Amino acid sequence: MNQRTIQTAIAVTGIGLHSGEPVDLAFYPQPTDTGIIFERSDIIGTAPVPADAFLVQDTLMSSNLVLDDVRIGTVEHLLSAVAGLGIDNLLVRVSAAEIPIMDGSAAPFVNILLDAGICEQEQPKKFLRILRPVRVHLGDKWAELRPYDGFELNFEIDFDHPAFDKDQQHAQFHFSTHNFIEELSAARTFGFLKDIELMRQNNLARGGSMDNAIVIDDMQVLNVDGLRFMDEFVRHKILDALGDLYLIGYPILGRFNAYKSGHALNNLLVREILSDENNFEIVTFDDNVSSPIDYLRSTDAIV
Ligand SMILES: [Zn+2]
């Protein structure tokens, strides 16, 4: 199983969630062992910002990378798409301090990257295999990674609110590209109307609307078309976690379990794993049969 990049450069335009302004986004193929790197097209002469968990500086509403005052905000949905498609090497060039919000899910990024085409490269794909359980806590919230032959994510949220069905607050996701595209990538971010109004007063979320989030008032979901999945909220939390975990630098072989986790705790977990070499090893696979993760080999198979 080899590393992957995209076949050709491709560009798309969206809206910044916080600025409300148009943002240009472009993707470029990269050589093996480059990893995922970001550049700002509106700032000349700055070093690329790698997708590195230790560069995450604030996690209030999203995961944001900062290197030498160069900020790349809201990377998690894009990184979720990149992880979901098994892309190892990619340059992302963005014209503002935040990745555009698109429809609030990872599906638009999946579509544009599939339009560019996925190509396999000449070097083996590297995985990070979890060797022993590591768990982090923040109050009653926790997140952990445990050894597992594959990649699985279990997530539980706990909202005591009429819009959140009690039976739809836990989900288990077995990772493969196919499952990611079908079951996870379209799950949208969500927010409460009163929080959004508060953010607007503080000049945040100016681009936020029901076009790019599920909006909930005191009683119910306000979007006319309702939810895309019965358990869309918890699916989105798994989508977020997948993007946040990709900042570890490799696809993970392990089982992720989380209770009410978010960007801060996901990042803490990644840092904790990387802080001790006994927690993990980097492995490669000589052939597709022995790989415990199923990435689709050809974009032809992805429709
Ligand atoms: Zn999100």
Side-chain angles (χ1 to χ4, degrees):
M1 168 153 293
N2 285 348
Q3 296 181 25
R4 296 163 155 228
T5 187
I6 53 173
Q7 277 171 8
T8 180
I10 198 162
V12 67
T13 301
I15 297 286
L17 173 62
H18 291 305
S19 69
E21 300 287 329
V23 178
D24 297 325
L25 190 64
F27 301 97
Y28 300 86
Q30 291 295 294
T32 52
D33 294 323
T34 305
I36 313 301
I37 54 174
F38 295 89
E39 277 180 9
R40 289 274 299 275
S41 57
D42 58 327
I43 308 178
I44 308 298
T46 52
V49 180
D52 177 342
F54 290 97
L55 297 181
V56 172
Q57 279 203 2
D58 88 75
T59 48
L60 192 57
M61 300 298 299
S62 53
S63 289
N64 307 291
L65 301 167
V66 182
L67 176 63
D68 298 336
D69 293 335
V70 177
R71 178 186 175 89
I72 311 284
T74 319
V75 296
E76 63 273 13
H77 302 163
L78 171 56
L79 284 178
S80 190
V82 171
L85 296 173
I87 295 172
D88 303 279
N89 305 299
L90 186 70
L91 166 62
V92 181
R93 195 169 278 156
V94 60
S95 68
E98 56 181 329
I99 301 293
I101 188 68
M102 312 310 283
D103 72 347
S105 80
F109 299 124
V110 168
N111 292 336
I112 189 89
L113 291 167
L114 288 179
D115 282 349
I118 309 295
C119 74
E120 290 203 27
Q121 300 175 284
E122 296 289 295
Q123 292 292 320
K125 189 177 181 75
K126 294 170 182 162
F127 293 84
L128 185 146
R129 192 206 303 273
I130 301 296
L131 294 179
R132 60 184 189 185
V134 174
R135 185 192 271 228
V136 293
H137 298 261
L138 277 177
D140 68 332
K141 306 170 182 180
W142 56 265
E144 66 176 13
L145 272 160
R146 308 183 73 88
Y148 178 69
D149 192 27
F151 187 28
E152 197 176 270
L153 300 99
N154 294 288
F155 208 108
E156 187 172 352
I157 52 178
D158 186 12
F159 286 94
D160 185 15
H161 184 286
F164 289 79
D165 187 331
K166 282 276 173 235
D167 301 327
Q168 304 291 344
Q169 301 209 41
H170 174 263
Q172 180 174 29
F173 178 74
H174 183 77
F175 182 87
S176 71
T177 295
H178 181 266
N179 289 350
F180 175 75
I181 293 172
E182 295 290 320
E183 307 293 336
L184 213 60
S185 67
R188 293 161 297 171
T189 189
F190 55 93
F192 295 94
L193 189 61
K194 54 175 184 278
D195 295 337
I196 295 168
E197 284 166 349
L198 195 66
M199 283 193 287
R200 289 253 175 85
Q201 287 165 19
N202 292 301
N203 246 350
L204 292 168
R206 279 149 60 190
S209 76
M210 279 186 266
D211 292 334
N212 50 41
I214 306 165
V215 181
I216 308 151
D217 70 5
D218 289 338
M219 288 308 295
Q220 61 191 337
V221 169
L222 298 178
N223 305 55
V224 224
D225 293 333
L227 298 177
R228 292 177 175 175
F229 307 95
M230 293 273 284
D231 58 352
E232 187 168 359
F233 306 113
V234 68
R235 285 190 201 217
H236 185 79
K237 298 297 281 184
I238 295 177
L239 183 160
D240 276 342
L242 185 64
D244 288 341
L245 293 177
Y246 207 43
L247 290 166
I248 209 164
Y250 305 92
I252 290 172
L253 300 176
R255 178 184 276 126
F256 173 77
N257 299 314
Y259 176 67
K260 293 165 66 174
S261 187
H263 301 303
L265 202 50
N266 295 340
N267 186 251
L268 193 63
L269 178 61
V270 169
R271 290 180 188 226
E272 189 67 26
I273 300 272
L274 293 175
S275 70
D276 187 337
E277 287 178 357
N278 296 314
N279 289 335
F280 66 91
E281 63 179 352
I282 306 299
V283 294
T284 60
F285 297 92
D286 290 339
D287 59 75
N288 238 10
V289 181
S290 65
S291 165
I293 291 190
D294 189 19
Y295 296 102
L296 295 181
R297 286 191 65 83
S298 145
T299 53
D300 297 339
I302 306 171
V303 179

